[in-house]
Amino acid sequence: MIRSVTHSLDNYPHTGTTRYEDGVTKIPGFACSTMDAEWLSKQLKLRMPVQLFLKSSCKQGPDVLSYNVIGEIRGSEKPEEIITAGGHLDSWDLAEGAHDDGTGCMQSIEVIRAIKALGWKPKRTIRAVMFMNEENGLRGGTAYAEFAKKLNEQHIFAVESDAGGFGVETLGISGKPEQYAKVKSWEKLFKPYGIYELSDGGGGADIGPLKPLGTVLSGVNPNSQRYFDHHHAANDVFEAVNKRELELGAFSMAAICWLVSEYGL
Ligand SMILES: [Zn+2]
């Protein structure tokens, strides 16, 4: 049993995956809340007699068929060149998964909605992708890249939001030096969203499998100080999301997708 990995002192245990090596006895793994860990630690230091009662109802269910959800605006001049904005649909089932990763899904949808609301017609195809099964094996992201390869799609750029819906500080970019230099030249356009840097190196779990196709990858990096107060815990709920921070993150994603669509890489 471990103390939950969070900065916050509260009563929410944070869940996650337990991995076993081959050929070992599979013992259950538990995480307790930080407050319970503090209490337990104090009792042990006082050499008090301590008994721990553990009850788990966790089980591994069989695989079921599921799907990525995709919406797109077809490009007006180069529809074959695809730009992906994504987050993941699944979450740990002890909460709503608002920050992990409902916010990334909503921001990706917002990329499409904002461009449509402005009446703009992108030159290249812009897709919002809600990836399935990030938490338990990355199967949606893997399948997306497999289909891209099979259909011979040209994925020029992908941006992912999967670090919480907090105010964005930087966008990380992974590509060839000249591609990064081009994106970097747009940096000042992102200042109004609170983004101070388009930094070298970035991506995300679900878009990672696109890398071998030569796709330039980008990751949204919000302020990280509060993410692990909610990550994989019962308090990762809708109410923990700030609407304005969420919107600014969405518009920064829309802006980078639009710039790549209009000016290429
Ligand atoms: Zn996530």
Side-chain angles (χ1 to χ4, degrees), residues 12-58:
Y12 298 107
H14 292 236
T15 191
T17 305
T18 308
R19 288 201 184 91
Y20 302 93
E21 283 177 26
D22 290 336
V24 300
T25 306
K26 292 184 178 177
I27 59 167
F30 287 82
C32 69
S33 77
T34 45
M35 263 159 69
D36 286 338
E38 292 286 307
W39 183 85
L40 197 54
S41 173
K42 196 171 162 195
Q43 305 309 309
L44 292 170
K45 276 176 194 148
L46 294 169
R47 301 197 179 280
M48 301 296 279
V50 173
Q51 275 195 332
L52 193 67
F53 176 74
L54 295 169
K55 186 181 175 189
S56 170
S57 57
C58 294

Side-chain angles (χ1 to χ4, degrees), residues 2 42 63 76 111 124 135 191 200 224 231 243 256 258:
I2 63 156
K42 196 171 162 195
D63 283 350
S76 58
V111 168
R124 293 167 171 86
E135 302 286 5
K191 297 270 153 77
D200 193 3
S224 61
H231 187 249
K243 183 170 181 280
I256 194 88
W258 177 259

Side-chain angles (χ1 to χ4, degrees), residues 88 100-101 134-135 162 227:
H88 67 84
D100 186 17
D101 185 22
E134 187 270 348
E135 302 286 5
D162 186 17
Y227 186 43

Side-chain angles (χ1 to χ4, degrees), residues 4 8 14 16 34 43 49 74 76 135 174 183 192 212 225 244 262:
S4 287
S8 143
H14 292 236
T34 45
Q43 305 309 309
R74 294 286 289 168
S76 58
E135 302 286 5
S174 285
V183 175
Q225 299 305 314
R244 191 58 184 154
E262 299 316 286

Side-chain angles (χ1 to χ4, degrees), residues 60-238:
Q60 179 88 30
D63 283 350
V64 290
L65 183 62
S66 195
Y67 300 91
N68 292 334
V69 178
I70 302 174
E72 69 176 26
I73 307 178
R74 294 286 289 168
S76 58
E77 288 180 22
K78 296 184 171 185
E80 70 286 357
E81 295 191 11
I82 298 164
I83 294 159
T84 295
H88 67 84
L89 266 178
D90 59 315
S91 70
W92 288 91
D93 58 6
L94 76 181
E96 297 159 8
H99 280 289
D100 186 17
D101 185 22
T103 50
C105 291
M106 294 319 296
Q107 287 173 324
S108 303
I109 295 170
E110 182 63 12
V111 168
I112 301 282
R113 194 209 62 83
I115 290 171
K116 281 191 76 170
L118 289 163
W120 293 357
K121 304 225 178 314
K123 287 181 183 166
R124 293 167 171 86
T125 295
I126 300 180
R127 270 189 196 165
V129 181
M130 277 126 276
F131 294 98
M132 182 44 85
N133 192 334
E134 187 270 348
E135 302 286 5
N136 189 24
L138 213 63
R139 296 205 196 159
T142 307
Y144 186 70
E146 276 169 9
F147 272 95
K149 207 172 161 190
K150 206 157 75 185
L151 301 172
N152 219 1
E153 289 179 340
Q154 282 183 56
H155 285 261
I156 64 162
F157 182 79
V159 57
E160 180 168 328
S161 169
D162 186 17
F166 304 102
V168 183
E169 296 186 337
T170 66
L171 284 179
I173 315 287
S174 285
K176 295 186 187 124
E178 62 274 20
Q179 291 168 321
Y180 172 62
K182 183 156 187 184
V183 175
K184 183 83 176 165
S185 72
W186 302 329
E187 193 170 72
K188 64 178 183 305
L189 301 171
F190 289 82
K191 297 270 153 77
Y193 309 115
I195 292 173
Y196 66 83
E197 192 182 11
L198 301 185
S199 52
D200 193 3
D206 282 305
I207 59 173
L210 289 172
K211 184 99 190 165
L213 305 182
T215 311
V216 175
L217 303 181
S218 174
V220 172
N221 301 319
N223 181 290
S224 61
Q225 299 305 314
R226 285 170 290 153
Y227 186 43
F228 284 90
D229 296 353
H230 303 276
H231 187 249
H232 297 183
N235 62 345
D236 187 6
V237 292
F238 188 83

